[in-house]
Amino acid sequence: ELENQLMAKSKTLDELKQSLASNGSAEQTPEAHSLRIAELCEMKDSIVNQVAQLKASMESILEQWRAYDEIYAEVSLMTTRYLYCIDQCKPSGEEASLEALKKQVKTLQ
């Protein structure tokens, strides 16, 4: 989207160059127009560079978020498994006696 906007601004700048070149102005000299056009071109080039840097930075950030999402999914799955195991290992209402624990270990095996 930014690239499309930049292309539109570039086209507008080119049209302005052509308009200034063909019309000329009584108020400013052609040298002043040339300097202004050069300034605008430098500004456009600066914006192009900034957009490229922003795009590279955003790609890096998106890659980091993808890695985060993958790791989060793994941790979530491990947490669910852990909670399930904890739930399965709870003594069943009665106080945990040695016999009850032996029976539960035998059942789990």
Side-chain angles (χ1 to χ4, degrees), residues 4-48:
N4 291 338
Q5 291 177 357
L6 185 59
M7 293 302 289
K9 297 292 181 187
S10 179
K11 185 178 178 184
T12 303
L13 180 61
D14 290 339
E15 290 171 0
L16 178 61
K17 285 181 191 177
Q18 290 175 355
S19 174
L20 287 174
S22 65
N23 291 337
S25 174
E27 299 169 1
Q28 293 185 348
T29 64
E31 293 82 16
H33 287 299
S34 296
L35 289 174
R36 182 65 180 148
I37 290 171
E39 288 175 12
L40 291 173
C41 288
E42 287 177 19
M43 291 169 70
K44 180 191 81 156
D45 291 341
S46 173
I47 291 171
V48 168

Side-chain angles (χ1 to χ4, degrees), residues 5-98:
Q5 291 177 357
L6 185 59
M7 293 302 289
K9 297 292 181 187
S10 179
K11 185 178 178 184
T12 303
L13 180 61
D14 290 339
E15 290 171 0
L16 178 61
K17 285 181 191 177
Q18 290 175 355
S19 174
L20 287 174
S22 65
N23 291 337
S25 174
E27 299 169 1
Q28 293 185 348
T29 64
E31 293 82 16
H33 287 299
S34 296
L35 289 174
R36 182 65 180 148
I37 290 171
E39 288 175 12
L40 291 173
C41 288
E42 287 177 19
M43 291 169 70
K44 180 191 81 156
D45 291 341
S46 173
I47 291 171
V48 168
N49 290 334
Q50 290 175 5
V51 168
Q53 290 173 353
L54 179 63
K55 190 174 181 180
S57 177
M58 292 303 292
E59 287 174 2
S60 172
I61 291 169
L62 285 174
E63 186 59 37
Q64 290 174 1
W65 274 108
R66 283 186 203 105
Y68 169 82
D69 286 341
E70 290 174 13
I71 292 170
Y72 179 82
E74 288 179 36
V75 169
S76 179
L77 180 61
M78 289 171 33
T79 303
T80 302
R81 287 179 180 166
Y82 170 76
L83 292 173
Y84 176 79
C85 288
I86 294 294
D87 189 51
Q88 294 300 313
C89 294
K90 286 182 184 174
S92 58
E94 59 193 44
E95 200 166 313
S97 66
L98 183 59

